[in-house]
Amino acid sequence: MRFFRLWLALLVVLTACSPAPLATPVQEPTAARTPTPTPFLPSRWLATPTPSPATSPIPSPVATSSAVERPRLWLDDRLPAQLRALGADLAAEPTTAEGADVRFTLLAEGAPGAKWVYVLVAPFSTLTDDISQQQLAAWWQGEGERLLYVTASGLGFQETWGAPAGSVRLLADEDAVLAAVRAGQGWGLIPFEALQPDVKVIRLEGRSPLDGDFSPADWPLTLTYGFQPAVPEWAARLPDANRDPERLTVLVMTGVTALVRATADRMEKKGVLYPGRDVRDWLRAADITHISNEIPFYDRCPPPNPYQDNVVFCSDPRYIALLEDVGADVIELTGNHFQDYGDEATLQTLYLYDERGWPYFGGGRDLADAREPALLEHHGNRIAFIGCNMPGPTFAWATEGRPGAAPCGDYAWIEARIRALKEEGYLVVATFQYQEYYSISAPANQVRDFQRLAAAGADIVSGSQAHFPQAMAWRGGSFIHYGLGNLFFDQMDVPAVGTRRAFIDRYVIYDGRLIGIELLTTMLEDYARPRPMTPAERHALLQEAFAASGWPIYP
């Protein structure tokens, strides 16, 4: 009995010291699960035929705990650069397709994984705005003369459109694609994160990833990437997408607003909101809408006279409802007429803006206030607006004890402030009330002064003075538009033919960086109401503006 007790105790000790067997994952019956579609893989990557789900069980998720050897990973050549870097981090020595336990690859449409949005880009001075999905597929298949540049990741679209024809050219990376597009050699397909503002994003059937209400789910240029079979720990490190709407901001910049004379007369007769009827959707759709209102609101303003001879202006305070209706967010006060009715009207105007919580810049209660930038933040994007008035008249300028517009002076103060704002991490929008030129070309002095603000670091330099739309330029990474033309002002091709035409510039900012520019174009009707241009009108204005900018014009 004693021997038996000793033997039993020894057996208990030995059992306690033995390692526990590894738990086997429970696998659901094959019939109870939906087979995962096999992703497209070019024949050179297929080692053996994929077994039929009817005869082979679907692999269970691969465990990656430290107690189990790390799975051998294969990286698909078509992975975008960001995902390829992730794959290299997960597997220090990626293996071949034949020797892999797990494939990091393109998945079937609708499968869970990282949704990668691609965009179609063209040279910035391209007249075409929009094409159909069928047109793009036809170009891919060689129907047409346009070349289409892609990287290896863009070849994923062969699942949808078939094998690419000779019109599709493979380049090493997105920088090479963008260089070819800028040179006018063709169009390109690039991932959203590679976008640069000096190329034009082409819409597909009216839609664009630059829109605030964009959805990747129904975008024909979305690819899905992930792991086969599933690796939960690795899948947790996959980004949901390469476009996060919570990091995107749409800004629209507009030209002259002057709710006076014939424009005000129409507002009295047809309603205060009448001028914005045809463009309000463009303005309201933006996250930040800029309005350059040159005129003070004054409760003793006389009734509007469409035939007014002098150029001393004010607006009825009721008219501010138009700015509310079009979604104004930030007000520019660099205008020549800001002080037309003196300090009382100017201060009353500032009170109305403060009452609505609208930040303003380029003018203020005194010189210090007028020089202060308007600082806005949206979706993590920090944007600074700063501006000045160059031509005067002197009575319009703010002083240490008087309200008005910020005088440009020798530009030293505004250049220094732009540099400081850039150091603080702001994307800087600098605006000018400059001398008026009824010409689409910018004269040498205007080019010189706008360029110096770009050289100081302004990302966008915009001319708010122009009653006539003007040319554009790039200086390094800065975009300059010398003049946008009128938004709400009564110049119906007077005093020069062309004042009915105008630009509304739509800027897309992502992760603190300008990534896209869309030039919207308007035509004034009835002395008050801008409308979107017809295609013929738009092409005519774009051709003139691009030619005046010294750019080649592409169909």
Side-chain angles (χ1 to χ4, degrees), residues 127 134 173 271 296 345 433 450:
L127 299 179
Q134 290 71 26
D173 54 35
Q433 185 75 202
F450 278 59

Side-chain angles (χ1 to χ4, degrees), residues 128-195:
T128 300
D129 298 313
D130 196 334
I131 66 169
S132 69
Q133 198 174 333
Q134 290 71 26
Q135 281 177 285
L136 180 56
W139 292 342
W140 179 276
Q141 294 159 5
E143 299 175 18
E145 300 178 358
R146 196 184 305 276
L147 295 180
L148 187 62
Y149 291 92
V150 299
T151 62
S153 74
L155 291 178
F157 290 104
Q158 60 193 339
E159 279 201 73
T160 305
W161 300 324
S167 56
V168 178
R169 303 293 173 85
L170 181 65
L171 298 180
D173 54 35
E174 285 80 18
D175 287 342
V177 172
L178 289 168
V181 171
R182 291 185 188 109
Q185 298 171 9
W187 289 11
L189 263 180
I190 59 173
F192 177 81
E193 70 272 15
L195 262 180

Side-chain angles (χ1 to χ4, degrees), residues 463-481:
S464 301
Q465 81 292 332
H467 299 304
F468 198 103
Q470 290 186 288
M472 295 153 273
W474 290 96
R475 190 192 188 284
S478 302
F479 180 70
I480 301 170
H481 200 156

